[in-house]
Amino acid sequence: MALQASPKHASSIRQAAVIGSGVMGAGIAAHLANAGMRVSLLDVVPQTLTEEEERQGLALADAKVRSRLASAAIARMGKSQPAQLYDPSWSSRITPGNLTDHLALLGEADWIIEAVVERLDVKREVLSMIEAARKPGAIVSTNTSGLSAASMVGERSEEFRQHFGVTHFFNPPRYMKLVEIVPTVDTAPAVVSLLKEVCEKRLGKGVVIAKDTPNFIANRIGTYDMLVTLQDALAFGLTVEETDALTGPAMGRPKTATLRMLDLVGLDTLLHVVDNVRERSEDPLEQAVFARPQLLEQLVASGRIGEKSGAGFYRKVKGKGSSEIEALRLDTLEYGPKRLVSSPVIDASKAAKGAAAKVKALLRTDPQDRYARFAWSTIKKTLLYAAAQVGIIADSLSDIDRAMRWGFNWELGPFELWDAIGLRKSVQQMQKEGETIPAWVLAWLGEGHESFYKAEGSERVYASSGAYKSEEREADSLSLAALKASGKTVLSTSGASLIDIGDDVVLLEFHSANNAIGGDILSAIQQSVREVSQNWRGLVLANEGRNFCVGANLMLLLMEAQSGEWDEVEEIIRFFQSSMLALKRLDRPVVAAPHRMTLGGGVEACLPADQIIYSPETYFGLVETGVGLIPAGGGCKEAAAMAAERALIASGGKAGGDLQPHLNALFETIALAKTSSSGYEVSRLGLMRPQDRVIMRQEARFGEAKRAVLELDRAGYLPPAEGRIRVAGREGNAVLKVAVQAMRLSGHISGHDALIAGKLASVLAGGDIQPGAEVSEQYLLDLECDAFLSLCGERKTQDRMSHMLATGKPLRN
């Protein structure tokens, strides 16, 4: 049968429908709205009234009641933590309804996602309803964590089966990168390609193609790893705390490690996943591994199913004015105070840099150590299990690695980890210990290969069917690590590197600790400006760090301030300011592409750029007041310039427009250290300029930024002229300070907060100067510097800086 007409490109999927408004359904609907789609969210008709509905005199027949479940889910989206929507107002893109009255809405959808309860009979019933209402050619997918896709649609028509597959989103859908696409034997290749394209390009997801096997890729490997970790923890006599100390960052895994992760997932949920694999597996050995652990059954039977019940492997006990975390004692199943864990093996892992080095230190510091033997036992089992699943759960070992990185936040997938610890040597050790090595791994080694992956130029290739295959890469994505490995580094300091990314464009990558800006990065900026001016078409500011930049090097500033080295502090500020000015005055286009935390000095590094391309997950803000300071790397100067530009636009281009409302908004944003909860929210904070924009795919930020550089260059780029900035002066300063005093008198801010805010107001308004005066950029930079130096000398500011360095949290003193 020929494939019915269906959407051809990701951009042609404009209308979607989600069935099921629970946690996953609502999260998926919200993220589709994030991508600009119009969404119908449908659920069943409630059978009983709530107390509130009874008070309102409503009946079950009322439309408000009949669509209550979906309406309530949409209402929660604007308040959810973490936020489901990039902008709370985007909930207007979602229309609530119910499956009885609004089934016809499915006929308008280009893509229908079923996200109801994980029961095969219920899913079959809902898919039957979808088939009766959908338009021919519409894509239908199920969100399931591991039920058989083929079993759901065996009774559906051939045309329906051709357009059907699994799209397994991970929770929460906005934040988790992974989507597993699982076709059936009937799914048309064009439909698989379209689902992959829409998930990657429209939703910004990382997609892997899985086979229709129990729990697909990530949950299959992840569940196995959790089970063997728990088994080995009991076998080696480890405590809950010891187990998590060894299976978190020490293994290149998240801080939640294993048992804390189980609490978050839910012990009852894990048992459901375990049952699904065991019941559908035909391998007796695998069935034995996926037997229900007695410990988990005991905990679940006693109601201790993890965080949602208040207790699992850990529990929080509230005391007077504080709370304490207690850990389960595995021998008695009672709780006791959580204990710190330390050992030479763990300390060696902590001291190592990077996931690969941490794992090697964990295994090799003292191989006879009990902790090291436990780590080796669990890692070995997971590596062998993952290798045995190649060709069963996925054809590509690269997809298995990516599924674990994107779905479980492992820093290294199992095959990347195997390479890191040494493939040949570790296999030899496994063989000595009597382990069975998958035949394809032995054949691979027998052909003389020493790793599953290797670099070929700027590409990475991986083992596939006895040969190396190029790893699939999304369009516009670039690997800075691969480019550097292939010799594309133009210059480098301890904190930053300038990398050739092609087409005569270079990228400046920060790579200091936490990407905090210090002298090494500022020096690299100055060198890069000279290099780009002479030899390149333009510059991109971006990196592959966990965060773009968390600010300036606070430790260095605090040390100098506490020592009274004021000339040194001023030199640091002036160096920062001159570096940002050099970026702004560069005679080649500069485009910044920040991601995740971009705070303080990180924002000040972006604002000189001709254009900023935000990742959707960009948490952007000038937060210096939180450590008792104000922005002094040009942040205040740029804010004052924004206010002046907005006043000019608001007045229709006439000089003399009212500065005050624009200044007030920016003052509030900076004084309260507000940060965006997404790249889209930067606009609401007043820190986004007309030329700036957000892209949905974080992985495309390098390519998009390079394209923007080239477009500016082709248009005949000229750097911004050094103009003068109109300021509000003493009257604007007075207005801001009245607001500060009101906040102080009402008890909303402390005396030190008021001092900081007063200095910020003075700088943003241009100081004690005639209202409407035009000043130079240097004039405002001098005001920034003076205010910053003054605040550095305050003991309460130094206390705030110390507290932030010690705890990572602001001190309100």
Side-chain angles (χ1 to χ4, degrees):
M1 179 179 176
L3 192 65
Q4 291 278 347
S6 58
K8 300 296 183 185
H9 305 287
S11 59
S12 60
I13 294 184
R14 301 182 180 92
Q15 185 79 27
V18 177
I19 299 177
S21 63
V23 172
M24 286 305 299
I28 293 168
H31 198 57
L32 297 181
N34 284 336
M37 297 182 197
R38 306 299 303 184
V39 186
S40 298
L41 180 61
L42 309 182
D43 212 317
V44 296
V45 175
Q47 299 301 304
T48 58
L49 294 171
T50 65
E51 292 182 4
E52 178 61 27
E53 288 167 342
E54 288 179 346
R55 280 195 295 270
Q56 293 178 13
L58 295 173
L60 287 174
D62 288 320
K64 185 177 180 180
V65 174
R66 292 175 70 80
S67 295
R68 179 225 306 156
L69 296 177
S71 296
I74 295 169
R76 288 192 296 269
M77 288 176 188
K79 306 171 186 176
S80 64
Q81 291 297 327
Q84 293 177 315
L85 293 161
Y86 291 144
D87 186 315
S89 68
W90 291 356
S91 63
S92 63
R93 296 173 179 174
I94 308 174
T95 302
N98 65 74
L99 283 169
T100 302
D101 304 328
H102 305 108
L103 197 62
L105 289 175
L106 300 185
E108 302 172 9
D110 305 307
W111 182 16
I112 302 167
I113 302 175
E114 170 272 301
V116 300
V117 65
E118 287 280 86
R119 278 179 46 187
L120 197 57
D121 59 334
V122 176
K123 287 184 178 288
R124 284 172 173 163
E125 181 180 354
V126 171
L127 291 171
S128 175
M129 297 170 69
I130 292 172
E131 182 170 30
R134 68 184 272 273
K135 63 185 178 184
I139 307 297
V140 180
S141 65
T142 176
N143 184 75
T144 174
S145 60
L147 295 179
S148 167
S151 297
M152 295 181 198
V153 292
E155 297 179 0
R156 306 277 65 79
S157 69
E158 181 182 357
E159 191 273 340
F160 186 96
R161 296 198 306 272
Q162 287 178 326
H163 290 86
F164 174 80
V166 171
T167 47
H168 178 208
F169 289 81
F170 276 60
N171 190 37
R174 168 182 162 178
Y175 298 94
M176 293 302 291
K177 181 174 178 178
L178 180 63
V179 172
E180 293 176 319
I181 292 179
V182 186
T184 71
V185 292
D186 295 317
T187 310
V191 169
V192 177
S193 297
L194 180 60
L195 282 172
K196 186 172 187 294
E197 182 185 6
V198 73
C199 288
E200 289 178 346
K201 293 187 176 180
R202 294 289 299 280
L203 305 184
K205 295 301 176 187
V207 171
V208 298
I209 306 299
K211 292 180 179 290
D212 192 7
T213 56
N215 298 102
F216 311 135
I217 301 175
N219 281 343
R220 180 79 163 261
I221 301 290
T223 301
Y224 177 89
D225 180 77
M226 289 178 178
L227 289 175
V228 297
T229 297
L230 182 58
Q231 291 166 4
D232 279 353
L234 296 171
F236 282 85
L238 267 56
T239 65
V240 165
E241 300 96 320
E242 288 172 327
T243 303
D244 278 354
L246 291 163
T247 60
M251 281 190 185
R253 312 278 176 81
K255 291 180 180 179
T256 46
T258 299
L259 303 183
R260 173 64 181 139
M261 174 65 79
L262 280 176
D263 276 357
L264 293 173
V265 170
L267 275 58
D268 55 337
T269 301
L270 180 75
L271 288 181
H272 173 75
V273 174
V274 166
D275 290 344
N276 189 46
V277 177
R278 186 184 65 256
E279 290 166 5
R280 291 178 59 193
S281 174
E282 298 178 358
D283 181 352
L285 294 177
E286 185 173 59
Q287 290 172 348
V289 171
F290 281 88
R292 284 180 158 226
Q294 182 181 0
L295 174 60
L296 292 188
E297 288 192 312
Q298 288 177 283
L299 292 173
V300 171
S302 65
R304 292 180 283 183
I305 60 175
E307 188 167 87
K308 55 191 174 184
S309 70
F313 286 101
Y314 298 92
R315 73 175 181 184
K316 183 182 290 187
V317 179
K318 293 184 179 180
K320 293 182 179 180
S322 63
S323 58
E324 181 182 356
I325 301 296
E326 294 185 337
L328 186 73
R329 303 292 182 247
L330 295 177
D331 51 351
T332 65
L333 298 191
E334 301 295 328
Y335 292 92
K338 184 181 176 183
R339 296 176 291 207
L340 293 175
V341 179
S342 181
S343 80
V345 167
I346 293 175
D347 291 343
S349 177
K350 286 181 179 179
K353 302 297 182 185
K358 287 182 180 296
V359 176
K360 284 192 282 190
L362 183 65
L363 296 178
R364 297 178 184 175
T365 300
D366 181 1
Q368 300 308 311
D369 182 274
R370 181 169 61 109
Y371 290 168
R373 289 188 292 112
F374 161 81
W376 168 243
S377 178
T378 60
I379 288 172
K380 172 182 67 174
K381 292 172 184 174
T382 298
L383 298 183
L384 289 171
Y385 184 74
Q389 300 311 307
V390 174
I392 296 175
I393 62 175
D395 288 328
S396 162
L397 64 83
S398 173
D399 270 356
I400 292 175
D401 277 345
R402 290 195 282 194
M404 300 315 299
R405 293 201 313 269
W406 297 341
F408 275 71
N409 292 319
W410 291 8
E411 290 191 51
L412 298 171
F415 300 99
E416 293 166 322
L417 176 58
W418 212 335
D419 279 353
I421 65 177
L423 176 58
R424 188 175 297 276
K425 185 176 180 180
S426 62
V427 167
Q428 290 170 349
Q429 181 64 30
M430 293 174 188
Q431 289 175 314
K432 286 181 183 177
E433 294 169 0
E435 302 291 350
T436 300
I437 313 299
W440 75 266
V441 175
L442 293 176
W444 183 251
L445 287 169
E447 292 168 4
H449 301 295
E450 297 297 327
S451 63
F452 293 117
Y453 293 91
K454 71 175 182 178
E456 285 189 356
S458 61
E459 299 292 321
R460 188 168 81 150
V461 297
Y462 66 93
S464 177
S465 301
Y468 279 113
K469 179 180 179 180
S470 292
E471 192 168 34
E472 184 180 354
R473 180 177 293 167
E474 295 178 41
D476 290 332
S477 69
L478 297 169
S479 167
L480 301 186
L483 287 168
K484 288 192 289 187
S486 63
K488 297 295 184 179
T489 302
V490 177
L491 60 87
S492 185
T493 70
S494 59
S497 295
L498 190 66
I499 305 161
D500 178 1
I501 58 173
D503 297 311
D504 291 327
V505 177
V506 282
L507 181 149
L508 184 61
E509 171 203 35
F510 300 167
H511 47 65
S512 63
N514 294 317
N515 285 347
I517 297 177
D520 48 1
I521 287 180
L522 296 175
S523 176
I525 288 173
Q526 300 260 8
Q527 292 177 59
S528 296
V529 165
R530 293 190 291 271
E531 169 68 23
V532 173
S533 178
Q534 294 173 10
N535 300 309
W536 303 88
R537 294 173 68 182
L539 174 66
V540 170
L541 297 174
N543 61 67
E544 290 178 322
R546 177 171 176 77
N547 300 297
F548 176 78
C549 175
V550 298
N553 188 331
L554 197 59
M555 175 63 79
L556 176 61
L557 282 170
L558 178 61
M559 290 171 58
E560 299 290 5
Q562 289 177 331
S563 301
E565 299 291 345
W566 303 116
D567 289 343
E568 294 293 332
V569 175
E570 182 171 1
E571 185 177 337
I572 292 170
I573 299 167
R574 295 296 186 186
F575 191 25
F576 201 133
Q577 291 179 339
S578 66
S579 299
M580 298 306 105
L581 266 183
L583 275 176
K584 187 167 186 176
R585 298 282 172 255
L586 178 60
D587 58 356
R588 298 286 187 270
V590 179
V591 176
H595 67 287
R596 292 185 58 84
M597 289 174 64
T598 305
L599 305 175
V603 172
E604 292 178 303
C606 291
L607 291 178
D610 299 290
Q611 186 177 10
I612 303 174
I613 295 176
Y614 295 94
S615 159
E617 299 300 339
T618 305
Y619 317 128
F620 197 82
L622 291 163
V623 297
E624 286 84 351
T625 59
V627 290
L629 299 168
I630 67 164
C636 290
K637 179 257 295 180
E638 290 295 327
M642 285 182 197
E645 181 67 22
R646 287 166 189 168
L648 184 65
I649 293 171
S651 66
K654 297 177 183 178
D658 188 3
L659 275 167
Q660 200 67 49
H662 309 287
L663 193 63
N664 293 349
L666 285 164
F667 171 74
E668 181 179 317
T669 289
I670 300 171
L672 298 181
K674 292 183 179 180
T675 59
S676 68
S677 62
S678 73
Y680 294 94
E681 202 187 18
V682 178
S683 178
R684 183 175 295 184
L685 295 185
L687 295 175
M688 186 178 285
R689 307 162 309 179
Q691 69 269 33
D692 300 335
R693 58 192 174 93
V694 185
I695 61 166
M696 198 68 175
R697 291 193 302 142
Q698 178 171 303
E699 286 66 33
R701 66 189 187 278
F702 302 152
E704 286 286 338
K706 183 172 82 167
R707 185 177 295 113
V709 164
L710 294 172
E711 288 173 356
L712 288 167
D713 178 63
R714 280 193 291 268
Y717 177 78
L718 291 174
E722 187 174 351
R724 297 180 72 78
I725 301 168
R726 190 166 72 90
V727 295
R730 63 179 68 95
E731 290 184 6
N733 189 9
V735 170
L736 296 178
K737 287 184 175 175
V738 167
V740 172
Q741 187 64 14
M743 292 282 284
R744 176 73 181 101
L745 291 174
S746 65
H748 287 93
I749 60 174
S750 69
H752 194 54
D753 289 328
L755 174 67
I756 300 161
K759 290 188 179 293
L760 173 65
S762 183
V763 175
L764 290 177
D768 186 17
I769 197 171
Q770 182 70 26
E774 293 187 347
V775 301
S776 68
E777 289 186 85
Q778 191 58 54
Y779 171 85
L780 290 173
L781 290 174
D782 290 342
L783 290 181
E784 281 186 0
C785 185
D786 290 345
F788 191 94
L789 283 168
S790 172
L791 289 169
C792 274
E794 296 284 341
R795 178 55 187 264
K796 288 186 175 180
T797 283
Q798 293 178 17
D799 288 344
R800 287 191 179 194
M801 295 165 75
S802 296
H803 190 266
M804 177 62 74
L805 288 167
T807 68
K809 298 177 181 179
L811 172 68
R812 303 308 300 268
N813 57 355

